[in-house]
Amino acid sequence: MAFRGRRPEHGGPPELFYDENEARKYVRNSRMIDIQTKMAGRALELLYLPEGQPCYLLDVGCGSGLSGDYLSDEGHYWVGIDISPAMLDAALDRDTEGDVLLGDMGQGIPFKPGSFDGCISISAVQWLCNANKKSDNPAKRLYCFFSSLYSVLARGARAVLQLYPENSEQLELITTQAMKAGFTGGVVVDYPNSAKAKKFYLCLLSGPSSFLPKGLSDQKDGDEERESAFTKESLCLLHRVPHRAARRGMVRKSRDWVLEKKERRRRQGKEVRPDTQYTGRKRKPYF
Amino acid sequence: MKLLTHNLLTSHVRGVGPRGFPLRLQATEVRINPVEFNPEFVARMIPKVEWAALLEAADTLHLVEVPKGPTEGYERDEQFLRKMHHVLLEVDVLEGTLQCPESGRLFPISRGIPNMLLNDEETET
């Protein structure tokens, strides 16, 4: 969930954060339910499953089964895995159709190779990026998760993981481990210019490279790159290299420099004040 | 936990690999849940089913009328599909254990939810 202040991952491990109180929100709070359902819908859309065919799907971080219920409504069958007993209790109360397991995705997905036709995850994978015990190594846990996910997916199956990366370094850590595990794909960003509506979907493919869907946007602009694609050969965040070259020619503290810096921070997903006629203007000496 | 899930579940204890399948099922409480029959889905899952493991689990649960294997032209055999649908999707294990055949480690099942959490020594390095 998007929080005004602290990120929940900084406060401790997910099995403690998602206690009975938090679980209750996922069952009662209509706004919460609405957002989670919408994201599940978008993730399923990005999964590009064959039309009209009931599939067997994995829901990573299934929680109280909100996203799973959406899958059931669409005629699919699913298995969920989650680390929070309180959330799984809520799933039992809601009588979900899919089976749920109590498990830690960072320890691997305990299924036979090629079990699933696809995988979705809503607001879960970023929890792997914070070490909660001294023995935790986020990169290793991420790799363990991605490599086991690669194995349990049928050949050519996709995984769509909606997540809340804290910053671009975290996103890069995640995508690097996904690539190491053999996935191709990229990050689809919906509504990149909105602080609240912006959503990241890591779309992974376990097979030869194919197209990457376009992110949603309010505007009609075609220039701004909204996706970053990566292949096994190289990780390229598409706006990175030309950006550095452009910065070298700029004078520090000039208006152009200020505008460029604000643009950079926007791309990182930070809240930036809109550009106006006053942006970077020359101030009076006493400033 | 449905038998379809059990048929695909493996042990991910460190060092076990493919020998972690199938998990030996012991059940103390089982429930039969009516589930809407979807012949297309059942037919698609038949090739994924590990028959020896399924028959062993069905035997442990004392299930009757379990097909011994896929019949010729099973995709159109409604009787066969209905039997498989019942075995795979309608039998729900509520309480019991799953045992890793290689390491002997027990994974408890409580209220239908298997607990697959590993401790630090068992996690893959």
Side-chain angles (χ1 to χ4, degrees):
Chain A
M1 282 302 298
F3 284 85
R4 288 268 140 222
R6 290 170 68 218
R7 289 180 64 93
E9 304 94 70
H10 293 172
E15 59 268 29
L16 293 184
F17 177 78
Y18 290 103
D19 57 9
E20 287 89 36
N21 283 325
E22 197 63 28
R24 208 170 296 134
K25 288 187 206 164
Y26 280 81
V27 178
R28 303 254 186 88
N29 184 325
S30 59
R31 189 177 151 268
M32 196 83 129
I33 295 172
D34 187 51
I35 294 176
Q36 294 287 311
T37 309
K38 280 210 175 73
M39 294 198 285
R42 178 70 171 137
L44 189 57
E45 191 184 22
L46 291 170
L47 212 45
Y48 285 97
L49 294 170
E51 279 269 339
Q53 217 178 71
C55 294
Y56 195 57
L57 305 172
L58 175 67
D59 187 346
V60 175
C62 62
S64 59
L66 275 174
S67 40
D69 279 348
Y70 188 90
L71 298 177
S72 292
D73 287 343
E74 294 294 306
H76 300 298
Y77 296 76
W78 57 277
V79 174
I81 182 170
D82 201 277
I83 201 173
S84 157
M87 292 290 267
L88 292 176
D89 273 344
L92 282 180
D93 289 338
R94 296 177 66 253
D95 206 16
T96 57
E97 287 181 39
D99 278 348
V100 294
L101 312 173
L102 178 62
D104 181 350
M105 59 169 122
Q107 292 178 346
I109 308 291
F111 279 88
K112 257 167 46 190
S115 293
F116 296 105
D117 301 320
C119 165
I120 65 163
S121 175
I122 306 295
S123 318
V125 177
Q126 73 272 3
W127 282 95
L128 285 175
C129 297
N130 289 80
N132 290 303
K133 299 187 293 214
K134 251 194 8 198
S135 48
D136 276 352
N137 176 335
K140 242 193 235 166
R141 283 166 56 75
L142 281 163
Y143 179 72
C144 185
F145 166 60
F146 282 119
S147 56
S148 61
L149 181 62
Y150 190 88
S151 160
V152 304
L153 286 174
R155 264 222 91 212
R158 281 190 179 82
V160 176
L161 316 172
Q162 183 274 325
L163 66 157
Y164 294 106
E166 193 174 342
N167 46 46
S168 54
E169 285 82 30
Q170 215 184 63
L171 193 55
E172 191 173 330
L173 170 66
I174 295 169
T175 52
T176 305
Q177 298 307 316
M179 265 205 318
K180 265 174 83 174
F183 282 113
T184 56
V187 181
V188 172
V189 187
D190 284 350
Y191 309 107
N193 297 317
S194 161
K196 261 192 168 171
K198 185 171 191 172
K199 295 285 184 282
F200 291 86
Y201 295 87
L202 179 59
C203 300
L204 302 173
L205 179 62
S206 65
S209 230
S210 97
F211 77 102
L212 190 63
K214 266 197 155 306
L216 298 170
S217 165
D218 284 327
Q219 298 133 314
K220 285 252 174 77
D221 61 344
D223 321 301
E224 202 190 325
E225 284 299 338
R226 283 189 292 276
E227 314 85 28
S228 63
F230 55 85
T231 63
K232 237 181 168 208
E233 284 75 35
S234 67
L235 170 66
C236 67
L237 287 164
L238 292 165
H239 47 258
R240 236 209 213 157
V241 171
H243 181 71
R244 199 165 285 153
R247 259 199 284 163
R248 234 174 261 141
M250 241 174 260
V251 179
R252 260 177 66 90
K253 308 297 186 188
S254 67
R255 185 162 191 273
D256 281 341
W257 180 88
V258 172
L259 288 169
E260 183 55 58
K261 177 157 185 184
K262 289 176 75 174
E263 193 50 51
R264 194 182 337 136
R265 287 175 70 85
R266 270 190 210 105
R267 279 194 290 264
Q268 288 173 353
K270 298 193 173 130
E271 269 213 52
V272 181
R273 307 289 283 159
D275 293 339
T276 68
Q277 57 185 323
Y278 303 104
T279 305
R281 78 179 161 115
K282 232 170 173 319
R283 264 70 174 179
K284 276 206 208 153
Y286 68 74
F287 222 90
Chain B
M1 184 200 64
K2 301 182 183 63
L3 285 187
L4 173 61
T5 311
H6 166 259
N7 200 260
L8 297 168
L9 213 52
T10 68
S11 161
H12 53 320
V13 171
R14 176 167 45 159
V16 153
R19 294 181 307 279
F21 177 85
L23 293 167
R24 223 155 278 145
L25 174 64
Q26 282 294 328
T28 51
E29 196 183 326
V30 178
R31 180 178 64 187
I32 305 293
N33 268 339
V35 172
E36 200 181 318
F37 176 55
N38 186 330
E40 199 189 332
F41 178 70
V42 182
R44 284 195 63 230
M45 295 308 285
I46 297 295
K48 287 191 192 166
V49 168
E50 192 72 47
W51 286 93
L54 181 67
L55 293 174
E56 195 187 324
D59 203 43
T60 315
L61 301 182
H62 309 297
L63 296 178
V64 294
E65 291 230 25
V66 180
K68 298 277 180 275
T71 56
E72 190 74 36
Y74 67 83
E75 298 99 325
R76 285 170 297 280
D77 185 346
E78 192 184 311
Q79 254 220 338
F80 171 82
L81 291 176
R82 275 196 184 273
K83 284 190 194 156
M84 290 308 296
H85 165 83
H86 175 76
V87 173
L88 291 173
L89 299 175
E90 291 188 329
V91 179
D92 199 1
V93 177
L94 293 177
E95 302 286 331
T97 56
L98 295 164
Q99 186 177 37
C100 171
E102 178 75 7
S103 67
R105 211 268 203 200
L106 289 169
F107 298 100
I109 307 172
S110 166
R111 301 174 66 191
I113 304 178
N115 181 340
M116 309 299 292
L117 287 170
L118 299 174
N119 52 38
D120 285 337
E121 296 88 57
E122 294 169 320
T123 327
E124 293 276 353
T125 40

